[in-house]
Amino acid sequence: MNQLKKNAQAVLRGNWQNGFTIPCQGLYPFQWNWDSGFIALGWAHIDPEHAKQEIRSLLKGQWSNGFLPHIVFHNPSDSYYPGPEVHGAELSPYSPEIPTSGITQPPVLGFILEYIYMRLDTDPTFLDFVASVYDAVYANHEYFYTQRDPQQEGLVYICHNWEAGTDNTPVWDFIWDTFTVPQYDLPRKDTSLIDASHRPTNAEYCYYIHLIELFKTWNYEDARIAAESPFLVQDPLFNSMLIASNNSLIRLGKLLGRSAQVSQLQAWNTKAKQRFNEKLYDSELGGYVYYDLRGERKLSHLSSSSFTPLFAEIPSAAQAAAMIAHLDGGRFSGAQHERLLCASFDPTSSLFNSQKYWRGPIWINLNWLIYEGLLNYGAKDTAAQIRTDSIALIEKYGFYEYFECDRIKNETLDTGYGGNNFSWSAALILDLLKSQ
Ligand code: DGY
């Protein structure tokens, strides 16, 4: 275990860039929003000052309307497409001096601040740091509830698959089916850096780029996006992250005496949790699903995102039990536990692919969220299983981006999938090793 910890620390140190941490050399050479949150938690186990710097650096990319972009381009690099010139965020009157993207990612910062505070044994100097960034994180939540909830129902939308974090889940296939896009020239770099068969196709990338081109024609104006974007989805993972971050900002805000902000966060959360359960729970499937707000329909497929409401303490005990059953002898584990936890997409679906980016492989950040969520509901054995599986995969293969879930295939495999020396895999293993 000590060696594993040392190796994890070496990955984070190797990816540190003087103030922030890149997710992975070559493949992701800038600062990514939700990566940075998980990475900051990893840094808290090594050097809390780095954790603070990581968060400060991310916030340098915040827009004046509270929006927090998914990439902050602190540094030049030619190993990634699409770079700042494709995103064209400067078209928005709210964008900052520093180049950023114009789309966001799951809002993890609120709960990351609380986790770090807990992992540092409620260190008062870290609470001072929380006080210094609290308004910025709160402003990001305010942005979501005022700009991304057109029906004022407590659930916010995402307008791009990259905003989901689960970039290439098969669920998006149903959205791509609703519109056509031109063939773009795609000077992709990712497919020459790693096994191209593990990455999204060019046809899928044309959709990703097309959405950005549309947003640029609207100068990233939220009202235009809400009115016209063909991709407008209420995502269970994204909304769970926002609700969990609300929960944390409420508890931290009480410690900091922020009563007005705490009341507002409580009001957002009461409404959000109720609507989340009414709208996103699929009782036939026994889990939470995506809602296509443009097409006004549920997209009834289970994925690892379906279990993340456990992390935000949204499900009732009965709903939680239905979800735990999927992981414990059900379709995600297999009746004989022939699968490691937790596949990123329903392994019994015809759309499942155990090797392809978010279409089936195991991701350590989702495992961490589900592990913590299971503990919230007292499901200690299932939580222990997900922790054991995560550590075993990293011990066998190293700090890859994603992993095979099939036990038999793992017997003969000698590699993980995607990028190697991937920062959040290292950061969250440090956290899992700590929390027994
Ligand atoms: C990528 O390029 O695959 C990133 O995840 C998008 O942010």
Side-chain angles (χ1 to χ4, degrees):
M1 284 303 164
N2 271 344
Q3 192 54 46
L4 194 58
K5 257 189 218 167
K6 280 191 195 142
N7 295 346
Q9 293 182 1
V11 170
L12 289 188
R13 291 196 196 284
N15 289 340
W16 175 255
Q17 309 281 308
N18 205 8
F20 68 97
T21 314
I22 57 170
C24 181
Q25 303 278 351
L27 200 55
Y28 307 112
F30 309 107
Q31 188 177 30
W32 260 260
N33 180 336
W34 76 323
D35 292 74
S36 263
F38 295 123
I39 289 166
L41 179 57
W43 276 121
H45 294 287
I46 308 173
D47 176 355
E49 282 311 311
H50 275 43
K52 292 178 198 168
Q53 263 183 293
E54 182 77 40
I55 293 170
R56 279 193 210 103
S57 294
L58 183 67
L59 291 172
K60 280 189 193 154
Q62 188 165 32
W63 293 17
S64 61
N65 62 350
F67 173 86
L68 202 57
H70 97 300
I71 305 177
V72 187
F73 299 103
H74 295 283
N75 48 313
S77 169
D78 58 9
S79 73
Y80 180 81
Y81 169 83
E85 61 298 335
V86 178
H87 283 279
E90 67 283 356
L91 290 166
S92 166
Y94 303 113
S95 63
E97 279 293 303
I98 189 164
T100 72
S101 66
I103 54 176
T104 189
Q105 258 182 343
V108 300
L109 260 193
F111 69 75
I112 287 294
L113 288 172
E114 191 184 26
Y115 266 91
I116 295 178
Y117 180 57
M118 292 185 314
R119 296 298 189 246
L120 297 179
D121 298 325
T122 67
D123 175 357
T125 63
F126 191 76
L127 198 58
D128 292 343
F129 172 74
V130 174
S132 73
V133 296
Y134 191 90
D135 286 344
V137 183
Y138 177 87
N140 185 231
H141 290 214
E142 190 168 46
Y143 161 82
F144 283 123
Y145 287 114
T146 56
Q147 305 302 318
R148 294 279 190 119
D149 181 9
Q151 298 175 8
Q152 288 294 292
E153 56 182 327
L155 297 178
V156 306
Y157 69 72
I158 55 170
C159 54
H160 196 288
N161 57 300
W162 282 336
E163 292 200 328
T166 58
D167 301 352
N168 191 32
T169 173
V171 174
W172 307 144
D173 300 357
F174 301 96
I175 307 289
W176 307 145
D177 278 350
T178 64
F179 62 107
T180 53
V181 294
Q183 283 296 316
Y184 287 96
D185 246 357
L186 297 168
R188 289 176 69 177
K189 311 287 165 80
D190 56 323
T191 39
S192 53
L193 289 166
I194 59 163
D195 186 338
S197 71
H198 299 167
R199 294 288 301 175
T201 60
N202 278 352
E204 286 162 331
Y205 256 73
C206 285
Y207 280 94
Y208 308 172
I209 297 303
H210 185 67
L211 288 171
I212 290 172
E213 292 302 327
L214 282 179
F215 302 157
K216 285 194 290 190
T217 65
W218 305 328
N219 297 331
Y220 285 102
E221 202 187 302
D222 289 303
R224 286 292 297 279
I225 293 174
E228 296 183 51
S229 170
F231 187 118
L232 216 64
V233 170
Q234 290 166 326
D235 174 335
L237 166 63
F238 196 98
N239 279 279
S240 291
M241 299 299 93
L242 185 56
I243 290 171
S245 283
N246 284 338
N247 286 337
S248 292
L249 288 187
I250 290 166
R251 288 187 287 260
L252 292 168
K254 284 183 182 164
L255 296 176
L256 296 170
R258 307 289 188 116
S259 51
Q261 286 160 313
V262 166
S263 308
Q264 179 59 73
L265 287 157
Q266 284 168 329
W268 284 329
N269 242 11
T270 306
K271 189 167 164 184
K273 285 186 183 175
Q274 187 184 334
R275 190 65 182 139
F276 195 114
N277 261 329
E278 285 164 6
K279 198 171 184 183
L280 304 185
Y281 190 69
D282 187 315
S283 48
E284 269 171 43
L285 283 175
Y288 293 86
V289 298
Y290 298 78
Y291 190 83
D292 170 9
L293 197 55
R294 179 62 68 229
E296 291 289 6
R297 57 179 175 155
K298 253 187 191 160
L299 299 168
S300 290
H301 294 271
L302 293 178
S303 63
S304 48
S305 298
S306 303
F307 306 118
T308 57
L310 295 165
F311 182 79
E313 298 176 75
I314 297 166
S316 65
Q319 288 168 323
M323 286 189 278
I324 292 164
H326 291 308
L327 304 174
D328 192 10
R331 58 173 100 188
F332 277 72
S333 60
Q336 307 302 322
H337 291 257
E338 57 269 35
R339 286 176 212 110
L340 301 174
L341 294 176
C342 174
S344 47
F345 196 69
D346 182 351
T348 65
S349 163
S350 59
L351 300 170
F352 171 79
N353 178 331
S354 78
Q355 301 189 327
K356 214 171 169 86
Y357 200 58
W358 290 110
R359 298 178 81 89
I362 295 172
W363 289 75
I364 298 299
N365 67 330
L366 265 292
N367 272 11
W368 182 86
L369 289 166
I370 299 168
Y371 167 77
E372 291 290 331
L374 290 166
L375 290 182
N376 285 340
Y377 286 81
K380 287 198 188 124
D381 292 345
T382 319
Q385 187 63 52
I386 206 163
R387 180 178 180 277
T388 304
D389 290 350
S390 307
I391 293 172
L393 286 166
I394 300 268
E395 272 195 314
K396 176 164 183 200
Y397 301 115
F399 298 92
Y400 273 87
E401 189 180 4
Y402 36 104
F403 299 92
E404 176 62 52
C405 63
D406 187 290
R407 268 186 211 279
I408 304 279
K409 283 191 190 161
N410 269 304
E411 282 173 15
T412 49
L413 258 182
D414 57 7
T415 181
Y417 301 142
N420 195 0
N421 293 324
F422 194 75
S423 292
W424 79 31
S425 299
L428 294 175
I429 282 299
L430 284 173
D431 196 66
L432 284 174
L433 287 173
K434 185 88 177 187
S435 69
Q436 282 253 39

